[in-house]
C-alpha cells in the first residue's frame, strides 16, 4: 500500500467521478431546450460534451497523481537524508518506508519546465501570478486568454473586452471565462490597467466572467542574455521571446478551468455569438470522431485559435523548449508539422496531413483592429479578408440642420457627412472651447439623442470631458432655476461617459429647441470620432 495508485484504483476513482457528474448531465440532456436542432442531434452533441468533460477530469486526475509522485519523491529523499528517522512517529516511518520508491535512488525523473527555464528554480513563486483578481469560476466550456502589454501609441484593451462581452449572450457569458494577462512586471502599471478594467467591467468581474492576472518578474529569464536567432534585432528577439512565455503562462493558468481554450489578442473584434459557433464546430468534430488539434477561426497570427484544454500541455512544453528560437505562430506550425508530416512524403502530402489537424473555419469570427504593435516602430495593418466589412459608423436620418465644427475634419470625414448618415466625423485634436453645432432650420422638440464617439478601428479617438447642450426658442422661466446654464445661455443636458457615449432625453418642458451643440472642455491627446449622431424628434421618429 503506497502513495502511487494502481491502474485499477485509478479506474475506480474515475468511475466514481463519472457517477458524480452523470446525474446532472442526464438531467441537462432531458431538460435542456434543443433550439433549432432535432432532439437526436442535441443529444449526440451533449454526449460529446460529456465525453470531453470526462477527458478533462482524467487530465486533472493525472495532474494530481503527478503531485503525489513528486511528494513521494520528496518524502523518500527526506527518509534517505534523515539521520535519526527512528525518532519519527511510527505512522511517519511507515509512510516514508512504504509510500516512497525514491529512497532507493533509482527513480527516473521526467523532464519539466525547469530543464528549459532553470531560472524558475531560484524562486518558489515563479509560476504563481503576482497579481490575481478572480472569483474562482471553473468547470465552464470555454476560457479565453487575452494577453496585453504596454503600448506606446494606443491601447485597444477596453474596446476589445467591451466587444467580446457584447458579442456574447447571457447563456454564453455564464459558461465562459475571459482571462486578461497583464504581461508586465511593473507593479504600478499592472495596478493601473487592473483599475481601468475594474472601472469599466465591474459587473463582469463580480460575476466571474472576467479575471485578471499578472506574472511575477521571476518568471522571465534574463532578456538581455537571449541568443540572437533568425537574424532578428535583439529588441525583436526579446519581444517574440516574451510573447512565447506570456502565452505559456496564460495557458498554464487557464488549462484546469475549462474544456476549450481560445487564444485572443487585446486588439481584436469578434462577431456576435462567436462562442456558440466555435463550441458547436468543436463538438461536431468530436461527435463525428474527426481529428483536430487546433480549430482556426481567424487567418491572422495566433488570433482565434481554439484548443482542447487537455492538450494545452503539448503547446506549453513546446513553447518552453523553443521560446528563444522562433515566433509563437511559427512554433504552432512546427508542432503541427511534427505531429502530422512524414519525412518520406512530399510537401503536398504534408500539407494535407496538417490540414487534418489544423482546421480552418470560414468565414472568420475575429478581425485584427490594432494598427500600432507593442513592438516599437512596428505598424500592423494586416486584416482578415474572411471576416467581412467592419461597420465603422451607424447612420441615422436627422432633422434638417446647418452643422458647424470648430474642430478641423480629417479628409472627407466631415461633420456634415456624419450628420447625414454618409460616414463618420473624424476631427483633429479637440481643444478646450471647441464646439460642434447643429442649427435646426425649424425648431424641434427633441425626444432623445445619441452621440457615440470612437469606432472599432480607432476606439481611443473619443470625446472626453465634453458636454451636450441645447438652446431653447423660449428661455425657461425662473421655475427652472435648477437648470445648468452656460455663459451664453445654452442649457447642459448631458455629457460623454468614460466609454465615449452621450445618450439621454431632453425635458419636454424646455419646448422647441433651435440649436444643439457639443462643447469640449479639455485638451485631448487623440483625434476624435463621432461614429453615431442621432437626434430624435417627432419628424424623424
Amino acid at each position: 500500500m503506497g502513495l502511487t495508485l494502481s491502474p485499477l484504483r485509478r479506474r475506480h476513482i474515475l468511475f466514481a467521478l463519472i457517477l458524480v457528474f452523470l446525474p446532472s448531465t442526464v438531467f441537462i440532456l432531458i431538460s435542456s431546450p434543443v433550439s433549432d436542432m432535432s432532439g437526436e442531434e442535441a443529444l449526440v452533441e451533449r454526449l460529446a460534451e460529456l465525453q470531453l468533460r470526462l477527458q478533462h477530469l482524467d487530465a486533472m486526475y493525472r495532474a494530481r497523481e503527478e503531485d503525489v509522485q513528486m511528494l513521494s519523491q520528496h518524502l523518500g529523499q527526506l527518509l534517505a537524508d534523515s539521520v535519526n528517522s527512528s525518532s519519527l512517529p511510527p505512522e511517519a516511518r511507515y509512510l516514508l518506508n512504504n509510500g516512497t520508491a525514491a529512497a532507493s535512488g533509482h527513480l527516473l525523473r521526467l523532464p519539466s519546465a525547469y530543464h528549459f527555464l532553470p531560472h524558475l528554480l531560484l524562486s518558489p513563486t515563479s509560476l504563481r501570478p503576482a497579481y490575481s483578481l478572480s472569483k474562482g469560476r471553473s468547470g465552464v466550456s470555454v476560457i479565453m486568454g487575452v494577453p496585453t502589454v504596454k503600448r506606446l501609441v494606443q491601447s485597444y484593451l477596453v474596446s476589445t473586452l467591451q466587444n467580446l462581452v457584447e458579442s456574447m449572450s447571457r447563456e454564453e457569458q455564464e459558461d465562459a471565462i475571459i482571462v486578461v494577462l497583464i504581461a508586465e512586471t511593473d507593479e504600478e502599471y499592472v495596478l493601473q490597467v487592473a483599475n481601468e478594467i475594474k472601472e469599466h467591467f465591474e459587473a463582469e468581474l463580480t460575476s466571474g466572467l472576467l479575471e485578471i492576472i499578472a506574472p511575477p518578474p521571476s518568471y522571465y529569464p534574463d532578456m538581455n542574455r537571449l541568443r540572437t536567432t533568425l537574424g532578428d534585432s535583439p529588441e525583436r528577439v526579446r519581444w517574440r521571446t516574451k510573447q512565447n512565455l506570456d502565452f505559456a503562462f496564460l495557458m498554464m493558468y487557464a488549462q484546469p478551468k475549462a474544456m476549450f481554450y481560445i487564444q485572443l489578442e487585446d486588439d481584436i473584434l469578434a462577431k456576435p455569438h462567436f462562442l456558440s459557433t466555435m463550441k458547436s464546430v468543436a463538438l461536431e468534430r468530436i461527435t463525428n470522431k474527426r481529428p483536430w488539434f487546433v480549430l482556426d477561426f481567424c487567418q491572422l497570427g495566433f488570433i482565434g485559435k481554439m484548443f482542447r484544454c487537455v492538450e494545452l500541455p503539448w503547446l506549453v512544453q513546446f513553447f518552453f523548449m523553443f521560446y528563444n528560437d522562433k515566433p509563437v505562430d511559427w512554433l504552432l506550425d512546427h508542432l503541427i508539422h511534427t505531429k502530422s508530416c512524414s519525412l518520406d512524403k512530399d510537401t503536398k502530402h504534408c500539407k494535407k496531413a496538417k490540414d487534418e489537424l489544423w482546421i480552418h473555419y470560414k468565414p472568420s469570427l475575429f478581425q485584427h483592429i490594432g494598427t500600432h504593435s507593442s513592438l516599437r516602430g512596428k505598424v500592423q495593418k494586416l486584416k482578415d479578408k474572411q471576416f467581412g466589412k467592419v461597420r465603422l459608423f451607424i447612420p441615422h436620418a436627422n432633422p434638417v440642420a446647418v452643422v458647424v465644427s470648430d474642430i478641423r475634419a480629417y479628409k472627407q470625414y466631415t461633420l456634415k457627412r456624419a450628420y447625414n448618415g454618409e460616414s463618420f466625423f473624424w476631427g483633429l485634436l479637440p481643444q478646450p472651447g471647441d464646439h460642434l453645432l447643429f442649427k435646426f432650420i425649424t425648431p424641434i422638440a427633441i425626444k432623445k439623442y445619441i452621440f457615440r464617439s470612437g469606432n472599432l478601428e480607432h476606439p481611443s479617438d473619443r470625446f472626453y470631458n465634453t458636454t451636450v447642450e441645447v438652446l431653447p426658442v423660449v428661455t425657461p422661466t425662473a421655475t427652472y432655476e435648477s437648470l445648468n446654464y452656460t455663459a451664453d445661455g445654452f442649457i447642459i443636458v448631458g455629457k460623454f461617459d468614460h466609454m465615449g457615449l452621450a445618450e439621454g432625453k431632453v425635458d419636454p418642458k424646455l419646448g422647441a429647441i433651435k440649436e444643439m451643440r457639443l462643447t469640449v472642455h479639455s485638451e485631448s491627446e487623440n483625434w476624435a470620432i463621432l461614429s453615431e449622431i442621432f437626434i430624435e424628434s417627432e419628424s424623424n421618429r
Side-chain angles (χ1 to χ4, degrees), residues 40-52:
E40 182 178 352
E41 289 174 331
L43 181 64
V44 170
E45 182 175 292
R46 290 191 173 96
L47 285 173
E49 186 172 348
L50 174 60
Q51 176 188 349
L52 196 62

Side-chain angles (χ1 to χ4, degrees), residues 208-226:
L209 170 62
L210 191 59
E211 299 186 5
I212 308 171
I213 59 173
S218 57
Y219 171 66
Y220 298 102
D222 186 345
M223 291 295 188
N224 294 315
R225 300 182 64 183
L226 299 173

Side-chain angles (χ1 to χ4, degrees), residues 74-94:
H74 291 311
L75 290 174
Q77 191 63 45
L78 177 64
L79 177 63
D81 296 341
S82 177
V83 178
N84 190 23
S85 60
S86 60
S87 63
L88 295 174
E91 295 84 357
R93 289 201 306 273
Y94 176 83

Side-chain angles (χ1 to χ4, degrees), residues 189-312:
Y189 179 79
V190 170
L191 293 176
Q192 174 189 327
V193 176
N195 288 333
E196 185 179 15
I197 296 174
K198 290 178 188 177
E199 179 183 356
H200 292 88
F201 302 99
E202 182 181 357
E204 288 74 19
L205 288 166
T206 301
S207 69
L209 170 62
L210 191 59
E211 299 186 5
I212 308 171
I213 59 173
S218 57
Y219 171 66
Y220 298 102
D222 186 345
M223 291 295 188
N224 294 315
R225 300 182 64 183
L226 299 173
R227 290 177 293 106
T228 300
T229 56
L230 304 180
D232 286 342
S233 66
E235 184 177 14
R236 188 176 184 87
V237 171
R238 285 192 295 269
W239 176 75
R240 57 176 169 81
T241 293
K242 183 176 178 301
Q243 187 178 56
N244 289 334
L245 296 173
D246 291 343
F247 279 30
F249 193 93
L250 194 45
M251 290 176 178
M252 286 189 292
Y253 178 84
Q255 197 258 335
K257 290 177 171 286
M259 294 189 300
F260 299 110
Y261 174 80
I262 302 171
Q263 184 67 54
L264 300 175
E265 293 186 5
D266 65 349
D267 55 352
I268 62 165
L269 171 68
K271 285 188 175 177
H273 304 295
F274 69 94
L275 214 56
S276 293
T277 301
M278 298 176 80
K279 183 179 173 182
S280 294
V281 172
L283 291 177
E284 187 271 334
R285 295 194 70 86
I286 293 171
T287 299
N288 294 315
K289 302 187 184 305
R290 299 165 67 190
W292 62 277
F293 184 77
V294 54
L295 296 179
D296 195 346
F297 295 87
C298 181
Q299 309 304 309
L300 300 176
F302 221 111
I303 300 171
K305 306 299 184 277
M306 185 178 193
F307 307 90
R308 297 178 182 89
C309 281
V310 295
E311 294 183 333
L312 286 180

Side-chain angles (χ1 to χ4, degrees), residues 369-384:
I369 61 172
T371 302
H372 302 283
S373 170
S374 56
L375 175 62
R376 184 188 300 271
K378 181 182 178 185
V379 177
Q380 176 64 280
K381 293 186 177 181
L382 291 178
K383 300 293 179 185
D384 190 335

